[in-house]
Amino acid sequence: MAFTLDTAALGLPALVIHGGAGTFSTISGEEDVARLTAGLEEAVAAGWSVLEGGGRSLDAVVEAVSALESSGLFNAGRGAVPTTAGEVEFDSSVMDAETGAVGALCAVTYPANPVRAALRLSERGGVPDGPIILAGSGGDRFCEEEGLEQMRPEWLTAGRARAAASEEGTVGAVAVDARGRLAAATSTGGRSGQWPGRVGDTPIPGAGVLAEKETVALSATGTGEAFVVAGFAHRVAWQLQGGADLAAAVTGGLEAVSSLAGSGGAIALGPAGEMAAGFTTPAMARAWRGPAGAAARLYPS
Ligand code: ASP
């Protein structure tokens, strides 16, 4: 399998984000690349300001993903791609390793920032009593009752035009704060032209999102069906618990996805701020920041 892997020891605190894995074949030049890169950098800045101020990793990933959703540049929030019925449906998730809080929404239409809805649910439900995942009309009802900001149709239209350059762009973030607490968040409009109600890996803990204490924070992107069946994020975590290093574990997880004919990528952070960003597609929008450095990339370098 074609494979690109970025690794770095970022130190504490650290933040890594992605804006989707794919071909980015509709990008038409340096200007588009610069626009996407600027969108990534703004999201890193939003998450970094939380970490820099001594804040929690959970809030950092929510701020970073929220910025990506609101940019309209990626396939999430304002930039989400429509289903075959012409509707836009959002999937989102958050997970906090420190407290075990987890929340996810799938196939919802209401929230302006689906990741904030996932955060709110993570504060209400929980393991084992739940709910930790709400779908469709039930998820929308939750968002409305919680008084979350509603997505406006005109925002979506504007976002869709901008997102044409980046149909693959599911978004996600992983962070570790100054106290070593890990958190992860993922958000998507799903796969382009998907069946209404179709759900991928994004809102599934252990598939497209995971944060496990002293182990790893992960966010994935790609052919969600394969990531779900591979149990992608859990597979990476189990390899880490078995003694693999982060790069080897992420590689092993993506190999399992490839063996199911899937493709995509993931970002991962360990408790000491070690990072790995790997992908089997021609490109993955990704960026990171920590005391040891910062970068934003789209293609293999
Ligand atoms: N993983 C997302 C999904 O399957 C799509 C993507 O990352 O491009 O819904």
Side-chain angles (χ1 to χ4, degrees), residues 27 77 121 223 267 282 300:
I27 296 205
L121 182 59
T223 42
I267 52 172

Side-chain angles (χ1 to χ4, degrees), residues 14 17 50 60 72 79 90 96 114 134 143 179 193 195 197 225 229 245 273 282:
I17 66 168
V50 174
F90 310 111
D96 180 12
L134 286 177
C143 295
R179 290 170 51 186
W195 191 266
E225 283 68 10
V229 171
D245 68 19

Side-chain angles (χ1 to χ4, degrees), residues 206-301:
V209 68
L210 187 71
E212 252 182 43
K213 206 169 176 176
E214 280 148 35
T215 308
V216 72
L218 267 168
S219 172
T221 166
T223 42
E225 283 68 10
F227 281 77
V228 169
V229 171
F232 172 77
H234 273 148
R235 191 178 280 262
V236 173
W238 289 333
Q239 288 177 73
L240 290 167
Q241 281 153 5
D245 68 19
L246 195 62
V250 168
T251 305
L254 290 173
E255 275 167 1
V257 169
S258 290
S259 73
L260 295 166
S263 63
I267 52 172
L269 256 179
E274 63 278 29
M275 71 146 240
F279 53 100
T280 59
T281 44
M284 180 169 81
R286 60 211 190 275
W288 55 85
R289 182 160 181 185
R297 293 179 187 159
L298 181 56
Y299 298 109
S301 61

Side-chain angles (χ1 to χ4, degrees), residues 168 170 188 190-191 198 200-202 221-224:
E168 293 97 343
T170 287
T188 191
R191 292 176 73 175
R198 177 263 177 192
D201 59 318
T202 298
T221 166
T223 42

Side-chain angles (χ1 to χ4, degrees), residues 21 68 76 89 94 100 167 229 243 269 291 295:
L68 292 164
E89 296 179 351
V94 302
E167 285 220 321
V229 171
L269 256 179

Side-chain angles (χ1 to χ4, degrees), residues 5 9 11 18 21 34 68 79 83 88 115 122 160 179 183 186 197 207 214 263 293:
L5 185 70
H18 72 79
L68 292 164
T83 65
V88 165
V115 73
S122 78
R160 230 178 273 159
R179 290 170 51 186
T186 311
E214 280 148 35
S263 63

Side-chain angles (χ1 to χ4, degrees), residues 41 57 66 72 80 83 96 114 119 128 130 145 148 150 153 183 220 251 256 266 286 292:
E41 283 168 349
S57 52
S66 202
T83 65
D96 180 12
L119 175 67
E145 284 181 5
L148 293 167
Q150 186 171 12
T251 305
R286 60 211 190 275

